[in-house]
Amino acid sequence: MAELMQASKRQRELFIKKSTRVAASYLNRAKALSGMPEAAMPFFDVLENTYVKMQGVTDTEKRRCIGTLCVMVPPELIYAAGAMPVRLCSGSFTAYTIGDDVIPRDACPLVKAVMGFGQMKALPVFDNCSLLIAPVTCDCKKKLAGVMDSVKNTVPLHIPPLKKEDGDTEVFLRELYRLIPVLEKATGKKVTARSLAQGINLVGEAQYEMSEFLQYRKSNPALLHGTQIMAIMNAFAYMPVEAWTKQMHRLNGEMRVRLEQNVFVSRPSQPRILVTGSPIAFPNLKIPLLIEEMGGILAADETCMGERGLYDPVSVIDPGFDGMMRGLASRYTKPCTCPVFVDNSQRIYRIKQMIKEHQIQGIIYHVLRGCLVYDYEYQMMEEEMGKLDMPVIRVESDYNEEDVEQLRIRIEAFLELIKLKEYAKCSKSGKSGQTTPN
């Protein structure tokens, strides 16, 4: 028995050593990209504290932590219950290898990583959660909710397959009402009309700062590297919303000065890329880093760990308790572009909108191995982008580093294709001052 305990202790020590080394490597590569803003450093510090120093959440309010496994869990409701939401979707390859022993081989790496941290009990932000909420957005997460319940009290949150009709919203509204007593039991505090309004306002302030930041992200040339933006968005998962909003306000101020002084991190000749598809969860910044290290600029993303998480504010028509709850149910279903819904044509519309706003020149469609809901929509995406003459490439990967060189070659070739396409377009239009692609 003592030998088994010692072996388990050694395994945990090796796990922590390897996972912190990988996380530190990704952080350092992201920081090394040119033009790192001073106001962005606190976001990177949060990621370092969480995945490198293995510290818990720093919350001056001393609230209980509630873990969530998807952006479809309303943080407003968790704040209304006197707790702090912590999004536990992880991109850790080390945790993935542990979860691989428990979760079936063909399951997605994100689910395996979550299970790995649950098994090892080595991530304080995970271990300190009083409750886990797992939206049933795919079969893997449905089964994960059942398996995780043996490790931590886990509550499934059912997501309706349809969202267009009012009746579809009612289905999700009932789920949110069902969640309230569960949250109250976990926190010991009541969800009232006043606390719900405060929760909506707290998250609304973050969404306001995010909307301003997205305006700066449209700048061409870019004011900030997209990889660093992905890290900033991932930091939202581990920060109190008040702290994230305050720091984002400072970052917006720095972006404003950069724009006024024409301080950019990219050249006009660099291909502007939009990434869409499966979540890009820290520390797995492999795809964003390859794009920008190969000479592209990640100008926009349509992912749930990026822009989508804070894109739409809650619209409240009736200020009563039920009116606010209906506003939450609508906000987390109707504008959502997650492929969990049967009809997801809204996602195509959103991407076309982003192509125009961000002056996108190519799309990288990211698919985590085993993530069937996103993989299923690639054909439709390819057809629609073909109508726009927009280059698009499907990139399948997981959390290991074995495919990096293969991905590097494919992404570099894709960027060169875009450069040639833009050069041919400029030559045809007779624009002067254009040079041959590098």
Side-chain angles (χ1 to χ4, degrees), residues 192-257:
T192 64
R194 182 177 181 180
S195 68
L196 185 56
Q198 289 173 340
I200 291 174
N201 288 336
L202 279 176
V203 179
E205 289 170 1
Q207 290 165 329
Y208 175 82
E209 293 297 337
M210 181 63 182
S211 66
E212 183 178 349
F213 181 72
L214 290 179
Q215 296 305 310
Y216 294 123
R217 192 176 189 184
K218 295 175 184 177
S219 172
N220 185 12
L223 297 168
L224 182 61
H225 282 285
T227 303
Q228 295 166 344
I229 294 172
M230 293 299 297
I232 290 166
M233 292 307 302
N234 271 259
F236 181 79
Y238 312 108
M239 293 178 72
V241 66
E242 303 95 332
W244 190 90
T245 302
K246 185 177 180 180
Q247 196 56 42
M248 182 57 77
H249 181 74
R250 291 173 180 163
L251 181 58
N252 281 333
E254 192 168 341
M255 292 298 100
R256 191 178 306 115
V257 172

Side-chain angles (χ1 to χ4, degrees), residues 65-77:
C65 290
I66 302 293
T68 68
L69 298 177
C70 178
V71 295
M72 294 188 75
V73 181
E76 297 91 340
L77 196 56

Side-chain angles (χ1 to χ4, degrees), residues 15-23 26 50-51 54 88-100 108-117 120 122-123 234 238 279-285 368 398-401:
F15 173 86
I16 293 174
K17 183 179 180 180
K18 185 176 180 180
S19 64
T20 54
R21 178 174 54 81
V22 172
Y26 276 115
T50 302
Y51 280 97
M54 292 292 184
L88 297 175
C89 298
S90 174
S92 170
F93 173 64
T94 317
Y96 157 87
T97 59
I98 300 297
D100 197 37
C108 85
L110 188 148
V111 166
K112 291 180 181 180
V114 172
M115 190 66 215
F117 277 122
M120 292 305 296
L123 191 70
N234 271 259
Y238 312 108
I280 296 176
F282 187 81
N284 184 41
L285 298 178
L368 284 175
D398 56 25
Y399 291 167
N400 69 55
E401 294 288 312

